[in-house]
């Protein structure tokens, strides 16, 4: 077993959590029943599954990171088995694992592309070729499958691979001092360490973290070995993969956003397991830069398609926002680790923001289609003219299919993000109908949440230890909530006295039958962005509870940019049964210009410019949750609404 | 001599126009004294000049359209000789022409790349390889040089080339039914026709115009000949080069903007010379689409760097506006031709808008640096993160150096855009200090303008025929002017009675000493854009006279997007001697948010989002003419200012 971690909180395992009939339970069920079968079929159809058993040279097709797609699907499927046992699904996974076992090299190497298509190129281009990235995803899948089923075969396979990687990479003579061009294995190795207790996996993770960005630059050395020009990186420089500086010296979130957030999550993991304060400080510094200057209101990260990543402070465009689904997921991973390191609700706030908005928008309500990028505004003909993956409609699949199985594995494991244990506390980070069994002080404490969160803000929590026991229940007071109230067994508790770092600590002797009523009022809020966010000046986003809202053409007609919301316009919440079966929408009065004033002469002639002073007319607008956009017909969408 | 044209107006030749001490005279002088020598040196240094005499295979360097850069420089230099004779400059041109004469094939072919580098590829890829485009530019240069100097050698050379092209292309057996992938030769051939009277050049132009877009598609046939896939166009489809449909069926301006506007100019030329009404109607239809739906307020065209061109109606982004300098120039050419076809001021209005804004912004005030793209808003670090050529600072030169010599040839010939002759009228399109001699009814009429236009709106015109003579002076009443007034010899004339299609026709017997006082009041105007222009909703552009203004960081500090101009804020014009020697600036009160409200706790912590309702403070803003932006230090800029 691993040594004691330095982190303040320990997450409560997914297997302990039951979600019952609420918001998340529905998404978990859709993932299980719809998304996972579809994704398996697509992996099968595209050759991703069978690539493992092709003879060397048989086909040139396996994509350089196909393995990661399969791995993420297995991981998602494994989590899904905790919700509902499924022998057929297990057999599917076992069959893939068996193929991998057959494919694995004598030395432990395991990568379908480099075993089958380009064996001579193994480990020759860490910068671009994703071998360690794929290895990391396979390790995560193996750990998940082992945790859920107790089966060891996949885990053993990956330990052999990890051991082999540990021989190839290191600071001893003959070893490579390289590190992944796409980070991911760092956090995976820490999972492997936690699952096996083998310290060497943690050490290898720390090695990868610490080698990054050292001089001479490994990617340069490696390029020269290949006979290429050093620095010839297609993305201009090493900020792209966060190797421009040693990670401890980094102060700005930079480069490809998924790479970045996976790295930062891995850094937080290493800091948590080693007590490395310098590394933890680097994580907090990067977090501060992200959350104070580079985070979309939806929890999306990475503003541009050019590097699928970060640019400069306060650059948060709406139409061209990349905000990759995978990046929001990676941010959830990072936030979750920071939360456990520091026990501070600022991390849970961002985690929740990303989950309910930038992550969930990545998948259609029916679980069948996916966004790669998650723009905050959409205009006509965007599918034709927008850059890269920024589209106005969700797709069934992608050539680079990282997002679909990534969103599946997060949704399938959402229960694992809800609760933690502290030294003498039970922590509740996310609200949602369901229950959990937490072992504390040698007994099981059952916690049950009854709530319609996020649609409304009342949460009733039943606390039931086996025997009366003194501990604190630490309830997160969401950052969006300005007037939370709490009652224990019907009696009000003064919140201001018990809040520390965003959590209300209710410390008492709990006994079975105790009830906490937590009230989180959810008025509609208008949010404004820092004046340095040039794209949002003069605009507001509507938020209710954890949900960011948006205007869609389906409800508001075309030319959404011309709508302006007066400052004194009253915004009401209405529940529309025809809107996805009764989703709360926000309605209010807004202004738009009268187009008739722009006609010139006869026919369809229109002026393009004219002296200012157009008359406006009053219209009713209806905003819907951002994560639900593009689930009806294709059309315009805006998150940031102009204020009049 | 060519047959009588069907166009309503004939331009008055550049050689007849003198510009004296005003706005344009300064730009012409800077072009002559600074820009042209710099451009020659760069053409020389980069090999563009000497490429003509390299031995076949000697170097692989000549760019596929280097010839066009040299041609545009010669054309500009030729125009500049009308301002000031310069034997040294003439010798330079003659030396290049001599090199071309040596290089020209027996058959008349003349292209430095395909003669020297890839002779086997001549005429094998009209779609991508710019041979006919380069030929067109050389023809334009030859016509200009002949007009100005009377020398025939260059013109004869190009007639031989044109005759050869006329043998290669055509509808007879063995001829190619191709047309240029980058239009330009269409308008050049009409110039050659007008210079020589040889009808075959007009016919060849008409052939190229009419073949475009026919089925089977020439670019497909040609691709198959090369052993390539038809339709394999790198820009997706044939809209890129306007060959998606026969030109007479086209209704939307589409594709690469420079290609498009050169084509439309060529179409207008062919219509003018052949009386082809259907072709003229197609031109007007395209014009309507452009000016009602796709024209930037600066006269720039082509919103995106993706195809350096057009997208969809009302898509006029500010930061990412491509609005290539060459495209605004091409628009001036097209507008000038439409103006002569129809004698309608709407064309001169657009021509003037483009000239004073989108064209002039392409070159620095000192004549040394150039913008390729002309965005309407600039943000920090734009040079690093913006797409393609969209930058916040002018450059000395470009690998693809189309814009610098293009702006030089337009500025050097600006006098040629000011006046025209009608059947019994003298037309004044543009205002500017200077004089012109116009031959009409067998005598010279001298017209002299005294004005400080565009800085102020008073224009005094002295009309002096050799003998008293009855004709109309047709003065353009600019579209931006709402309250023009005119006096003849001190006596007011009622304008509304004499305005036709935007021109005030003052018909009388004119005699030497007659004076017209034309008053064009120039209050500051706030302009708004059509509600369908999503990027400009809630914003106004400031315009005074023909000049669009902008806010620069140099005058207004950072975070320009946070400035909001109240509707009732009074805007005054002030002349600031420190601003480029006394340029009228626009000043007024605006609001911006107080950044201090965004501090969180100690240190430099800042909130990124917060509940709406920030306090604003009043600040003074100063706007400067758009064409002058980026002539001080690098910084932010906005044209469209938010209204509060």
């Amino acid at each position: 077993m691993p040594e004691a971690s330095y982190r303040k909180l320990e997450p409560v395992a997914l297997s302990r959590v039951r979600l019952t009939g609420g918001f998340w339970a529905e998404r978990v069920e859709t993932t299980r029943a719809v998304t996972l079968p579809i994704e398996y079929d697509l992996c099968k159809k595209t050759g991703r599954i069978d690539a493992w058993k092709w003879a060397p040279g048989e086909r040139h097709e396996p994509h350089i990171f196909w393995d990661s797609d399969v791995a993420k699907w297995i991981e998602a499927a494994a989590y899904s088995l905790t919700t509902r046992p499924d022998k057929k699904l297990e057999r599917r996974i076992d069959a893939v694992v068996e193929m991998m076992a057959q494919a694995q090299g004598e030395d432990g190497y395991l990568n379908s592309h480099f075993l089958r298509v380009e064996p001579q190129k193994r480990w020759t281009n860490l910068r671009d070729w994703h071998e360690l990235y794929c290895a990391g995803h396979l390790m995560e899948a193996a750990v998940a499958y082992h945790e859920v089923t107790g089966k060891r075969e996949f885990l053993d396979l990956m330990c052999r691979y990890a051991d082999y990687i540990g021989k190839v990479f290191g600071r001893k003579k003959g070893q490579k001092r390289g590190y992944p061009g796409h980070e991911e294995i760092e956090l995976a190795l820490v999972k492997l360490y936690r699952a096996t207790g083998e310290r060497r996996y943690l050490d290898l993770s720390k090695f990868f973290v610490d080698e990054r960005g050292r001089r001479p630059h490994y990617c340069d050395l490696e390029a020269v070995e290949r006979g290429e020009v050093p620095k010839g990186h297609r993305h201009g420089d090493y900020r792209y993969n966060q190797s421009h500086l040693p990670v401890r010296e980094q102060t700005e979130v930079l480069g490809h956003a998924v790479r970045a957030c996976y790295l930062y999550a891995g850094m937080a993991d290493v800091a948590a397991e080693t007590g490395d304060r310098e590394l933890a400080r680097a994580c907090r510094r990067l977090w501060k830069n992200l959350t104070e200057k580079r985070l979309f209101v939806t929890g999306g990260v990475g503003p541009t398609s050019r590097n699928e990543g970060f640019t400069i402070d306060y650059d948060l465009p709406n139409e061209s926002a990349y905000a990759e689904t995978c990046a929001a997921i990676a941010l959830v991973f990072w936030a979750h680790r920071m939360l456990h390191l520091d026990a501070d609700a600022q991390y849970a706030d961002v985690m929740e923001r990303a989950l309910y908005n930038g992550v969930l928008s990545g998948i259609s309500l029916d679980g069948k289609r996916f966004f790669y990028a998650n723009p905050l505004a959409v205009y006509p003909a965007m599918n034709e003219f927008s850059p890269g993956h920024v589209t106005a409609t969700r797709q069934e699949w992608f050539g680079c299919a990282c997002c679909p199985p990534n969103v599946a594995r997060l949704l399938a494991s959402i229960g694992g993000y809800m609760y933690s244990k502290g030294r003498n506390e039970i922590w509740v980070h996310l609200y949602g109908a369901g229950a959990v069994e937490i072992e504390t002080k040698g007994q099981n404490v059952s916690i049950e949440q009854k709530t319609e969160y996020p649609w409304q803000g009342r949460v009733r929590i039943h606390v039931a230890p086996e025997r009366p026991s003194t501990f604190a229940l630490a309830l997160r007071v969401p950052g969006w909530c300005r007037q939370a109230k709490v009652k224990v067994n019907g009696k009000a508790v003064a919140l201001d006295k018990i809040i520390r770092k965003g959590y209300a600590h209710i410390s008492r002797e709990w006994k079975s039958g105790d009830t906490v009523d937590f009230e989180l009022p959810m008025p509609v809020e208008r949010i404004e962005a820092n004046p340095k966010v040039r794209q949002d000046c003069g605009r507001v986003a509507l938020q209710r509870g954890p949900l960011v809202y948006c205007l869609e053409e389906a409800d508001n007609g075309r030319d959404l940019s011309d709508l302006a919301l007066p400052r004194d316009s009253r915004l009401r919440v209405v529940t529309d049964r025809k809107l996805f079966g009764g989703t709360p929408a926000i309605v209010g009065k807004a202004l738009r210009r009268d187009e008739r004033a722009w006609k010139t002469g006869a026919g369809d002639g229109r002026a393009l410019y004219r002296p200012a002073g157009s008359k406006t007319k009053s219209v009713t607008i209806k905003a819907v949750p951002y994560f639900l956009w593009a689930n009806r017909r294709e059309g315009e969408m805006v998150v940031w609404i102009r204020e009049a």
Side-chain angles (χ1 to χ4, degrees), chain A:
Chain A
M1 277 299 99
E3 297 162 41
S5 163
Y6 290 82
R7 55 185 172 175
K8 294 210 171 85
L9 309 182
E10 295 292 325
V12 173
L14 173 63
S15 56
R16 295 286 188 139
V17 180
R18 264 186 308 116
L19 294 168
T20 42
F23 183 90
W24 287 118
E26 283 172 31
R27 302 313 300 244
V28 169
E29 176 56 16
T30 303
T31 303
R32 191 196 65 78
V34 179
T35 310
L36 282 173
I38 284 179
E39 291 184 353
Y40 178 82
D41 289 347
L42 280 160
C43 280
K44 182 85 183 168
K45 199 171 79 179
T46 56
R48 280 164 167 82
I49 303 283
D50 295 322
W52 289 103
K53 58 181 183 190
W54 291 341
E58 181 182 338
R59 287 170 70 170
H60 284 273
E61 218 175 347
H63 189 286
I64 217 152
F65 45 91
W66 269 10
D67 293 2
S68 64
D69 298 331
V70 177
K72 280 185 277 190
W73 176 82
I74 295 177
E75 188 185 341
Y79 296 141
S80 147
L81 293 171
T82 63
T83 318
R84 188 192 301 201
D86 183 335
K87 286 293 161 201
K88 191 181 148 205
L89 183 58
E90 236 177 279
R91 279 197 300 273
R92 263 190 181 169
I93 298 172
D94 290 338
V96 179
V97 171
E98 178 53 31
M99 280 192 267
M100 290 181 192
Q102 294 293 330
Q104 188 167 37
E106 283 292 308
D107 51 10
Y109 187 76
L110 189 56
N111 179 297
S112 70
H113 181 87
F114 289 96
L115 284 169
R116 303 308 193 202
V117 183
E118 302 185 286
Q120 74 289 3
K121 291 193 175 168
R122 186 192 292 190
W123 307 132
T124 58
N125 189 344
L126 298 185
R127 190 187 70 192
D128 304 327
W129 289 348
H130 293 69
E131 276 165 294
L132 292 169
Y133 167 83
C134 286
H137 274 301
L138 288 169
M139 289 171 196
E140 283 202 88
V143 169
Y145 195 56
H146 171 252
E147 264 178 21
V148 172
T149 62
K151 293 184 189 173
R152 282 207 63 95
E153 194 189 14
F154 192 13
L155 188 67
D156 290 342
L157 213 97
M158 293 317 299
C159 287
R160 279 205 299 282
Y161 192 11
D163 291 337
Y164 163 67
I165 292 171
K167 281 178 208 147
V168 174
F169 294 93
R171 297 196 184 88
K172 290 191 202 128
K173 208 172 161 223
Q175 287 184 307
K176 295 175 192 293
R177 292 186 62 165
Y179 45 87
H182 194 314
E183 302 92 320
E184 144 68 19
I185 198 171
E186 297 85 346
L187 70 88
L189 282 165
V190 176
K191 282 192 175 179
L192 201 60
Y193 160 65
R194 287 180 184 143
T196 62
E198 298 293 347
R199 175 91 196 178
R200 63 182 180 276
Y201 301 138
L202 176 61
D203 294 340
L204 183 56
S205 176
K206 184 171 184 312
F207 165 81
F208 285 137
V209 164
D210 279 338
E211 282 301 311
R212 179 167 298 276
R214 295 226 173 151
R215 298 295 184 273
H217 200 290
Y218 185 80
C219 298
D220 286 348
L221 302 175
E222 182 194 61
V224 171
E225 284 267 317
R226 289 194 306 274
E228 294 170 11
V229 187
K231 320 267 181 223
H233 197 286
R234 77 183 168 105
H235 290 282
D237 63 45
Y238 289 126
R239 290 180 298 182
Y240 178 71
N241 64 17
Q242 302 77 41
S243 68
H244 55 295
L245 280 176
V247 298
R248 289 155 197 275
E249 296 169 30
Q250 296 187 21
T251 55
E252 287 183 308
V253 294
L254 282 172
H256 186 266
V258 181
R259 282 172 165 82
C261 292
Y262 281 166
L263 168 66
Y264 309 146
M267 286 163 62
D269 274 336
V270 171
E273 296 302 334
T274 63
D276 186 329
R277 289 189 188 182
E278 189 187 39
L279 201 55
R281 273 199 302 274
C283 289
R284 289 185 202 108
R285 210 161 50 222
L286 290 162
W287 181 267
K288 188 173 155 70
N289 175 246
L290 177 79
T291 54
E292 290 182 359
K293 296 174 181 169
R294 302 187 177 202
L295 180 67
F296 285 101
V297 73
T298 55
V301 290
T304 180
S305 66
R306 301 193 84 201
N307 61 355
E308 301 191 306
F310 296 105
T311 54
I312 53 169
D313 288 344
Y314 302 108
D315 182 28
L316 296 162
N318 293 307
E319 285 183 358
S320 62
Y322 202 66
E324 186 180 335
T325 303
C326 281
I329 292 168
L331 175 60
V332 169
F333 297 160
W334 183 24
H336 190 237
R337 283 153 174 87
M338 296 304 291
L339 172 61
H340 287 77
L341 197 61
D342 286 357
D344 186 330
Q346 66 165 309
Y347 303 112
D349 283 344
V350 169
M351 183 172 85
E352 184 183 58
R353 180 180 290 279
L355 277 173
Y356 278 106
N357 303 286
V359 170
L360 266 192
S361 67
I363 182 166
S364 61
L365 196 56
D366 64 9
K368 294 178 179 175
R369 298 173 75 94
F370 308 91
F371 273 132
Y372 199 112
N374 295 275
L376 280 79
V378 161
Y379 61 92
M382 183 146 169
N383 284 350
E384 187 177 356
F385 292 103
S386 69
H389 285 290
V390 187
T391 58
T393 41
R394 292 184 184 83
Q395 311 292 310
E396 285 188 3
W397 195 244
F398 309 93
C400 169
C402 49
C403 300
N406 219 359
V407 73
R409 70 175 176 143
L410 179 52
L411 293 181
S413 60
I414 189 72
Y417 293 82
M418 300 181 78
Y419 305 97
S420 300
K421 287 198 298 185
R423 223 170 302 167
N424 195 29
E425 312 98 22
I426 288 174
W427 297 68
V428 185
H429 309 302
L430 301 177
Y431 300 102
V436 63
E437 297 280 320
I438 299 177
E439 208 187 307
T440 185
K441 291 184 158 181
Q443 65 161 325
N444 266 330
V445 178
S446 159
I447 304 280
E448 188 181 4
Q449 292 192 46
K450 288 192 174 156
T451 180
E452 288 176 46
Y453 196 94
W455 303 123
Q456 51 97 320
R458 269 185 301 277
V459 186
R460 167 162 287 192
I461 299 173
H462 296 285
V463 183
E466 289 170 340
R467 303 176 298 277
S469 173
T470 300
F471 59 86
L473 189 64
L475 302 177
R476 173 172 155 261
V477 183
W480 55 258
C481 187
R482 324 268 166 217
Q483 300 203 293
K485 285 183 192 145
V486 67
K487 288 181 189 169
V488 177
N489 296 330
K491 203 181 148 197
V493 175
L495 262 181
D496 54 344
K497 300 228 164 58
I498 56 169
I499 289 188
R500 286 196 302 281
K501 289 188 178 176
Y503 284 82
H505 291 255
I506 308 170
S507 189
R508 64 196 297 277
E509 192 189 65
W510 296 96
K511 57 183 194 306
S512 188
D514 282 344
T515 302
V516 179
D517 283 300
F518 201 32
E519 182 82 28
L520 303 166
M522 288 183 173
V524 176
E525 278 223 271
R526 295 174 182 225
I527 304 292
E528 64 180 309
N530 189 293
K532 291 190 170 294
V533 182
R534 64 191 192 281
Q535 297 96 341
D536 298 337
C537 289
R539 294 173 182 268
V540 292
L542 304 184
Q543 192 172 330
R544 178 172 179 265
L547 300 175
V548 174
Y549 275 65
C550 69
L551 301 179
E552 280 201 279
E553 186 179 321
D555 304 301
N556 301 285
R558 294 197 181 173
D559 303 329
L560 296 180
S561 296
D562 201 44
L563 288 166
L565 184 61
R567 270 164 209 237
D568 56 3
S569 185
R570 198 166 68 87
L571 294 167
R572 291 174 303 122
V573 178
V574 298
T575 302
D576 177 352
R577 292 212 167 270
K578 278 177 278 181
L579 188 67
F580 310 112
T583 296
I586 299 171
V587 297
K589 290 283 182 196
L591 302 170
R592 64 154 77 227
R593 285 178 284 174
D594 191 337
E595 274 192 49
R596 284 168 303 182
W598 292 81
K599 289 251 167 113
T600 62
D604 70 341
R606 290 181 179 285
L608 183 52
Y609 302 108
R610 42 166 281 179
S614 281
K615 291 255 186 317
T616 54
K617 56 182 181 181
S618 177
V619 294
T620 299
I621 58 169
K622 181 197 269 190
V624 300
Y626 171 75
F627 82 86
L628 287 171
W629 85 274
N631 272 291
R632 288 172 291 173
R633 59 177 196 265
E634 191 182 332
E636 296 181 34
M637 182 274 289
V638 295
V639 169
W640 289 94
I641 306 166
R642 283 198 303 118
E643 259 200 342

